[in-house]
């Protein structure tokens, strides 16, 4: 699988890794095998091509960019051409040139399917990587039908079939419509790579890419280096090499991290030893506009093992990294070490078996705003290659990681995630992937629109706790907009929220034969299983039956005990003088925390009985909502609406309309109880 440094193998054929003097007597096939053994797969593939299809005229070696003098034989009659073709296919696959690998495997199968049965499995893997899922599935089934129980690829082929099924599920995800994916335009990224973005502040990032170094002893001249780059809307620009003191030539550097104060740079340095990549984590101190010579972190690096891909937690406490050091769960695990004031670290601890698996876990990133660890892994379930996973938690206590799914992940490698701290995890993130047509890992931006929010709950009878059907509920959201719905037969209701707020939204509940009730929303659970809608579960609310009363008992408030406020004709809007009175009432209730108020609303005698009942309700409700918005808890407020009941002034005198009398009847009475 493609990991750090893989892109070095995908460049134009580079200078050989063997001294020129010893290469003069070697054949093309010998050189190809040695390059293959040394991990230079792309070079090996081209050498195998020279062996399989030599030019009509034998050329000097200087025509091939291995910088070897003299001539040599390009053929070896004792070697099977199909064997070499299979080696070429393997070289292209290990270099992640999937189409070239698929073509070579196919030719092997055409020449001798029985002898090269394993080529059928690898051809299917190439097809899966190329997005040819149906063809890959057919090849895998054909391979399994002929594979014996001891075939080394049998289990892998069965897992590939599961991978294809998982890919199909992911490609049909309904929330894909919420996601916008964009490959960032970075100079030369299609041939040099641009991966592992690290935020330096503002629009500035560190990225890893390649450049051609001075050739030393015939070694591969293309190596990874760190660059400063400015992120803009469409890509990264103004790439400037990071200046590090006393760097040995031909050293690969990349996949870095930066301390929270910007004074320490942590980076991965790696090289190939006997065909195996060995990596270590170094740190450098800020020195003006450059950095000091990198120093290996003593407790993080262990001889004989690799550590790489450092990340500094946003709180500055921990250095996360990936390592195959002893004490882990499998291959590469996520580890974290406390960062000291001098830039060094304490003893690392494993992030735990919930995060780490028997497979590889790489490139950790912690998003403090959402308390989420994002990392890459080739574990199951996955879409192929490395997928990005996310787990909520901290330090060594984590929830089960979840595959971040399509289109964050693809059937190739997806790794090196970054998201700004003051935003949602996927609202404006960038990560690295080789899903494009270029040679290497490149950088992509992804933004996901927030899911819709649904506020749901149940209305119950306060006495018997049974659901109340057909109750009318009015919700005022954060924008102040009122939304109305009705409970179903099970007392359930739901509101589609236009704003993300869930708590402390005002709910008013009305139902015939029940007291009008005001309440604030209080979310007790959130159901996020739906990919398009988050369901916010409100606590159950109850309403009380209105007790039967004798006519003389209807007036629950006496005028001499209350504050009276008046309204304009057919209005429930609070006048300025009303607001002043309510502010005074608020002050009394703020001083006396046990005080409660009872509000009754009235109208004049004009209008129908039904209309006046609703108008008096709006007037009482307007008074209550003003005090609630000021901060008085809803449990301290109750109100009743009486319509045109109980006028305090005569509205007709000797058969003539008494306008002043009517104006005094358009009122709300507020009774304050201090105990």
């Amino acid at each position: 699988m493609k990991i750090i440094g893989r892109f070095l193998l995908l460049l134009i054929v580079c200078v050989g890794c063997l001294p020129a003097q010893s290469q003069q007597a070697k054949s093309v096939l010998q050189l190809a095998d040695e390059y293959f053994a040394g991990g230079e797969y792309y070079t090996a593939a081209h050498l195998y091509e020279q062996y399989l299809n030599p030019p009509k005229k034998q050329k000097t070696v200087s025509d091939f960019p291995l910088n070897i003098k003299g001539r040599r034989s390009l053929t070896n009659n004792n070697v099977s051409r199909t064997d070499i073709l299979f080696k070429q296919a393997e070289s292209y696959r290990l270099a992640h040139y999937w189409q070239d690998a698929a073509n070579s495997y196919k030719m092997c199968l055409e020449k001798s399917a029985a002898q090269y049965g394993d080529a059928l499995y690898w051809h299917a893997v190439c097809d899966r990587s190329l997005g040819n899922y149906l063809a890959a599935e057919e090849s895998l089934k054909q391979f399994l039908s002929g594979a014996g129980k001891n075939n080394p690829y049998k289990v892998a082929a069965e897992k590939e079939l599961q991978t294809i099924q998982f890919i199909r599920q992911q490609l049909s995800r309904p929330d894909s419509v919420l996601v916008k994916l964009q490959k960032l335009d970075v100079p030369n990224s299609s041939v040099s790579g641009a991966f592992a973005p690290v935020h330096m502040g503002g629009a500035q990032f560190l990225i890893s890419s390649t450049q051609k170094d001075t050739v030393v002893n015939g070694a591969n001249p293309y190596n990874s280096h760190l660059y400063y780059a400015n992120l803009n809307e469409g890509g990264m620009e103004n790439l400037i090499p990071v200046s590090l003191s006393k760097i040995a030539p031909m050293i690969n550097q990349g996949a870095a991290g930066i301390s929270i104060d910007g004074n320490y740079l942590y980076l991965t340095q790696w090289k190939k030893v006997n065909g195996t990549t060995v990596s270590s984590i170094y740190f450098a101190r800020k020195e003006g506009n450059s950095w000091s010579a990198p120093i290996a972190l003593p407790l993080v690096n262990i001889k004989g093992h690799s550590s790489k891909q450092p990340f500094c937690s946003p709180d500055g406490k921990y250095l996360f990294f990936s390592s195959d050091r002893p004490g882990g769960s499998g291959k590469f695990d996520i580890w974290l070490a406390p960062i000291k004031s001098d830039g060094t670290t304490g003893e690392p601890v494993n992030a735990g078996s919930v995060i780490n698996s028997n497979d590889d876990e790489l490139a950790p990133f912690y998003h403090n705003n959402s308390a989420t660890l994002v990392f890459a892994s080739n574990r199951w379930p996955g879409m192929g290659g490395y997928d990005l996973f996310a787990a909520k938690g901290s330090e060594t206590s984590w929830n089960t990681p979840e595959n971040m799914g399509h289109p964050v992940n693809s059937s190739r490698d997806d790794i090196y995630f970054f998201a700004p701290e003051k935003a949602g995890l996927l609202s404006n993130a960038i990560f690295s992937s080789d899903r494009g047509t270029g040679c290497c890992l490149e950088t992509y931006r992804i933004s996901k629109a927030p899911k819709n929010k649904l506020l749901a709950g149940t209305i119950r009878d306060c006495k018997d706790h049974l659901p109340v059907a057909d109750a009318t509920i009015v919700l005022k959201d954060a924008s102040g907009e009122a939304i109305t719905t009705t409970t179903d037969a099970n007392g359930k209701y739901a509101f589609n929220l236009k704003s993300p707020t869930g708590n402390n939204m005002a709910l008013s509940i009305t139902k015939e034969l029940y007291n009008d009730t005001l309440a604030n929303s209080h979310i007790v659970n959130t159901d996020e299983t739906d990919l398009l809608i988050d369901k916010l579960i409100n606590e159950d609310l109850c309403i009380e039956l209105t007790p039967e009363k004798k006519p003389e008992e209807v007036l629950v408030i006496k005028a001499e005990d209350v504050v009276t406020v008046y309204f304009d004709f057919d209005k429930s809007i609070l006048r300025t003088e009303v607001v002043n009175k309510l502010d005074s009432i608020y002050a009394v209730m703020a001083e006396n925390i046990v005080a409660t108020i009872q509000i009754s609303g009235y109208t004049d005698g004009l209008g129908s009985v039904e209309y006046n009942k609703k108008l008096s309700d709006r007037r009482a409700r307007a008074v209550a909502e003003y005090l609630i918005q000021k901060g008085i808890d809803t449990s301290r407020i109750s109100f009743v609406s009486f319509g045109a009941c109980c006028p305090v002034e005569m509205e007709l005198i000797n058969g003539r309309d008494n306008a002043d009398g009517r104006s005094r009847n358009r009122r709300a009475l507020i009774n304050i109880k201090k105990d």
Side-chain angles (χ1 to χ4, degrees), residues 29 55 93 113 159 171 198 283 289 441 469 583:
L29 186 55
R93 174 177 63 82
K159 185 178 178 181
L171 293 178
V198 179
F283 81 110
N289 293 324
L441 290 168
D583 287 341

Side-chain angles (χ1 to χ4, degrees), residues 495-525:
F495 292 98
N496 285 312
L497 301 180
K498 295 184 178 180
S499 65
T501 305
N503 281 321
N504 298 319
M505 292 188 293
L507 294 162
S508 62
I509 309 161
T510 56
K511 164 76 175 175
E512 188 177 358
L513 303 180
Y514 283 85
N515 290 337
D516 293 347
T517 304
L518 289 176
N520 287 333
S521 61
H522 178 66
I523 306 305
V524 294
N525 191 22

Side-chain angles (χ1 to χ4, degrees), residues 455-469:
L455 178 69
T458 303
I459 305 300
R460 298 184 181 277
D461 186 292
C462 291
K463 186 175 182 179
D464 58 22
H465 304 295
L466 293 175
V468 177

Side-chain angles (χ1 to χ4, degrees), residues 101-249:
N103 294 339
S104 296
Y105 283 126
K106 183 178 180 182
M107 285 189 283
C108 288
L109 293 169
E110 290 172 348
K111 291 180 180 297
S112 180
Q115 184 178 356
Y116 299 96
D118 293 345
L120 184 59
Y121 165 74
W122 288 117
H123 188 267
V125 171
C126 292
D127 271 337
R128 185 261 300 156
S129 298
L130 292 166
N132 303 325
Y133 305 124
L134 181 59
E137 184 177 44
E138 291 174 352
S139 294
L140 289 167
K141 289 179 178 178
Q142 182 182 345
F143 171 80
L144 287 170
S145 67
K149 64 178 181 179
N150 295 324
N151 188 293
Y153 296 111
K154 187 174 186 295
V155 173
E158 291 169 344
K159 185 178 178 181
E160 275 290 330
L161 280 176
Q162 294 176 335
T163 296
I164 291 171
Q165 293 303 315
F166 184 71
I167 289 172
R168 287 187 174 130
Q169 293 173 9
Q170 292 300 307
L171 293 178
S172 62
R173 284 173 63 121
D175 60 336
S176 296
V177 299
L178 302 176
V179 179
K180 180 181 179 182
L181 184 69
Q182 170 195 14
K183 186 170 82 69
L184 293 181
D185 183 17
V186 183
N188 300 318
S189 66
S190 63
V191 295
S192 299
F195 65 97
V198 179
H199 191 220
M200 297 289 290
Q204 190 177 61
F205 280 76
L206 284 179
I207 62 167
S208 303
S209 188
T210 63
Q211 70 178 20
K212 187 174 181 180
D213 293 326
T214 302
V215 178
V216 176
N217 294 328
N220 184 344
Y222 291 96
N223 294 280
S224 176
H225 293 272
L226 285 168
Y227 292 84
Y228 296 112
N230 290 329
L231 178 67
N232 58 33
E233 187 64 28
M236 288 186 173
E237 58 186 3
N238 303 326
L239 271 65
I240 301 173
V242 174
S243 176
L244 288 157
S245 302
K246 298 180 182 179
I247 295 299

Side-chain angles (χ1 to χ4, degrees), residues 24-30 51 58-59 61 71-77:
Q24 292 183 12
K26 296 181 184 293
S27 69
V28 169
L29 186 55
Q30 287 175 310
Y51 174 83
Q58 190 181 42
K59 295 185 177 182
V61 181
R71 298 174 181 268
R72 60 177 173 269
S73 170
L74 297 176
T75 60
N76 186 334
N77 294 328

Side-chain angles (χ1 to χ4, degrees), residues 9 14-45 47-48 66 68 72 84 87 91 94 218 272-276:
L9 309 177
C14 60
V15 176
C17 60
L18 299 176
Q21 183 67 29
S22 65
Q23 292 176 356
Q24 292 183 12
K26 296 181 184 293
S27 69
V28 169
L29 186 55
Q30 287 175 310
L31 281 175
D33 288 342
E34 291 184 6
Y35 276 100
F36 185 92
E40 297 286 349
Y41 302 116
Y42 190 67
T43 300
L47 285 168
Y48 287 131
L66 290 173
I68 306 169
R72 60 177 173 269
I84 306 307
K87 287 184 177 180
S91 300
L94 292 169
K272 285 202 170 176
V273 179
N274 299 324
T276 301

